Amino acid sequence: MVHPIHANVVSWIVIVSLSCLLHGATGQLTFDFYKTSCPNVDAIVANVTLALSKRDNVVAPAVLRLYFHDCLVEGCDASILISSTPTNVAERDAPDNLSFPQNGFDAIVEAKKAVEAACPAVVSCADILAMAARDVVVFSGGPRWAVPKGRRDGLISRAARVEGRLPASSFNVSQLVTLLSTVNLSIEDLVVLSGAHTIGFSHCNQFSKRLYNFSSAAKTDPSLDPTLAASLKASCPQVGGSPNTVRGFDATTPFAFDNSYYRNLQNNRGLLVSDQALALDKRTSPVVASLAASQEDFFFAFMQAMVKLGYTGIKTGSQGEVRRDCRAFNARSNT
Ligand code: HEM
Ligand SMILES: *[C@@H]1O[C@H](CO)[C@@H](O)[C@H](O)[C@H]1NC(C)=O
Ligand SMILES: *[C@@H]1O[C@H](CO)[C@@H](O)[C@H](O)[C@H]1NC(C)=O
Ligand SMILES: *[C@@H]1O[C@H](CO)[C@@H](O)[C@H](O)[C@H]1NC(C)=O
Ligand SMILES: *[C@@H]1O[C@H](CO)[C@@H](O)[C@H](O)[C@H]1NC(C)=O
Ligand SMILES: CC(=O)N[C@H]1CO[C@H](CO)[C@@H](O)[C@@H]1O
């Protein structure tokens, strides 16, 4: 499937990088950071990411979500990839029910192994995750952008530091905006980045309150399309359902990166309270409308927002380290 949008990729890369300069966001990361130390790094990461995404369709959404969660907690420093040890409950095992598929972690670990084989000890896991997040968007039919690099891997990964740093599925727009503003993301960034929910799945427990126990006035969320509500109830019974059941954010094309997420919101077919709220709040509904109207505009805005997200709380220079194995700090004493 070749999308006409790809014809404009080169000029978009130029525009995206220029606009970052204008916003003063670059300077610490560069597109050619590994030019001499690991010239094929993008191709190596893409190769592994593509192969694993093809083998297992859970990988693409899992990797995209990992990137977001990594950046929101401690910055984009691969803290999400650290495994817990007997002395440290790591970020990924936070009680805030994160339920990340293992396959997403495995994809980054495999990409790192391939990179280490070609250029040992120079490419950070944080950069690999940023590249892989781009690659899975491309794999799913979305736009390709150039990923600025030079992030260092963090030395802190603690479950106890997650609480309050991630948006919850129950959040209203005010809560979403406030939370994202703590990492310098705007209202527009919120709407654009939420478009990542054009792919992937959610467990029933994230939206079952909307189905059975919404408010004292209405058991089922009145802003949820009744047909979709009935279908979700069938998948997610109030009692006796499996905690592992998931439903696609995008009921029709859960593996295709497209702008149908926004059109679904306009038709009351958002899955989470936090999704549907974007179409109902007057601060965000105009952005939803413009992205629903133009996939090209969505793709362009998404590339820029993903690059911007990738600057969140980064470590550069001599900060942090370049991890050898993405799952463990180099000096295990750090745990
Ligand atoms: C801004 C508010 C957001 C909220 C409240 C939110 C919440 C959630 C929730 C509750 C899930 C389902 C987890 C599960 O049950 O397994 C989920 C999945 C997902 N999120 Fe978000 N998210 C937000 C933003 C984002 C952003 C900015 C991205 C990426 C740029 C993203 C990417 C994803 C993806 C791809 C999935 C599917 C994961 C999978 O299928 O394994 N989300 N999100
Ligand atoms: C891509 O992966 C395949 C195996 O999956 C390997 O044979 C090939 O050398 C890889 N290419 C690059 C550029 O890393
Ligand atoms: C959003 O939720 C918070 C916390 O529940 C609440 O205090 C606030 O009034 C809500 N804001 C809007 C605009 O609904
Ligand atoms: C419904 O929501 C209320 C308030 O959030 C809670 O106390 C109650 O246990 C919930 N009931 C069910 C059946 O989930
Ligand atoms: C947000 O922007 C301020 C000012 O540019 C900067 O000091 C801060 O580090 C940024 N926060 C994050 C999480 O990137
Ligand atoms: C609060 C919450 O929903 N916790 C759940 C998170 O996920 C684990 C494992 O998938 C469940 O056992 C918890 O009940």
Side-chain angles (χ1 to χ4, degrees):
M1 187 179 69
V2 177
H3 199 280
I5 218 103
H6 289 157
N8 291 322
V9 158
V10 173
S11 54
W12 280 0
I13 288 170
V14 172
I15 295 166
V16 169
S17 39
L18 266 180
S19 77
C20 288
L21 284 172
L22 294 174
H23 289 103
T26 56
Q28 301 176 80
L29 301 181
T30 54
F31 294 107
D32 59 357
F33 189 80
Y34 299 113
K35 189 177 179 181
T36 53
S37 61
C38 198
N40 295 326
V41 65
D42 281 274
I44 298 167
V45 172
N47 193 31
V48 174
T49 311
L50 187 69
L52 297 183
S53 299
K54 275 185 190 155
R55 192 190 304 164
D56 178 354
N57 57 20
V58 164
V59 166
V63 166
L64 182 52
R65 183 168 179 236
L66 278 181
Y67 174 69
F68 175 56
H69 283 226
D70 183 36
C71 291
L72 258 69
V73 183
E74 313 292 356
C76 312
D77 68 349
S79 52
I80 190 74
L81 302 178
I82 291 289
S83 296
S84 291
T85 63
T87 52
N88 182 51
V89 184
E91 199 176 305
R92 60 173 284 186
D93 294 320
D96 276 44
N97 204 341
L98 303 178
S99 51
F100 291 114
Q102 181 59 35
N103 317 45
F105 296 100
D106 293 346
I108 307 305
V109 168
E110 285 308 308
K112 172 68 168 175
K113 279 185 193 155
V115 170
E116 288 297 291
C119 4
V122 294
V123 182
S124 67
C125 296
D127 280 345
I128 290 173
L129 180 51
M131 286 181 263
R134 178 266 317 272
D135 297 335
V136 296
V137 169
V138 176
F139 170 77
S140 307
R144 178 192 298 279
W145 63 93
V147 174
K149 303 176 205 60
R151 297 168 191 82
R152 306 267 293 176
D153 296 326
L155 299 173
I156 296 171
S157 174
R158 291 195 205 289
R161 290 166 64 103
V162 173
E163 198 188 344
R165 293 193 160 85
L166 292 171
S169 54
S170 59
F171 273 15
N172 61 34
V173 169
S174 299
Q175 292 169 301
L176 292 167
V177 167
T178 302
L179 189 125
L180 290 197
S181 72
T182 64
V183 291
N184 298 333
L185 294 172
S186 67
I187 293 188
E188 192 191 347
D189 295 329
L190 163 67
V191 181
V192 171
L193 288 170
S194 293
H197 289 175
T198 179
I199 60 170
F201 297 84
S202 173
H203 291 82
C204 296
N205 64 356
Q206 300 291 343
F207 54 83
S208 57
K209 193 169 186 286
R210 297 187 76 195
L211 307 178
Y212 300 111
N213 196 21
F214 183 65
S215 71
S216 50
K219 289 198 183 314
T220 302
D221 185 344
S223 75
L224 179 60
D225 168 61
T227 307
L228 179 59
S231 159
L232 294 174
K233 284 176 181 173
S235 297
C236 308
Q238 194 166 11
V239 285
S242 160
N244 300 322
T245 303
V246 293
R247 285 290 303 248
F249 282 97
D250 181 334
T252 44
T253 56
F255 296 110
F257 196 96
D258 55 28
N259 71 335
S260 58
Y261 171 79
Y262 299 103
R263 282 182 276 113
N264 288 337
L265 296 186
Q266 292 187 311
N267 293 314
N268 297 324
R269 295 175 68 83
L271 189 57
L272 308 179
V273 164
S274 59
D275 293 315
Q276 192 56 52
L278 301 175
L280 301 173
D281 188 287
K282 65 180 186 306
R283 290 166 289 177
T284 47
S285 58
V287 187
V288 169
S290 78
L291 300 174
S294 166
Q295 179 154 288
E296 191 166 347
D297 287 356
F298 168 50
F299 280 9
F300 183 62
F302 191 77
M303 294 189 284
Q304 288 181 293
M306 286 288 279
V307 170
K308 180 174 173 186
L309 174 61
Y311 279 87
T312 306
I314 51 170
K315 284 98 194 155
T316 56
S318 60
Q319 297 170 312
E321 63 182 6
V322 172
R323 249 176 247 156
R324 287 186 291 270
D325 178 330
C326 294
R327 295 167 292 189
F329 303 115
N330 290 343
R332 290 186 179 264
S333 58
N334 282 320
T335 67

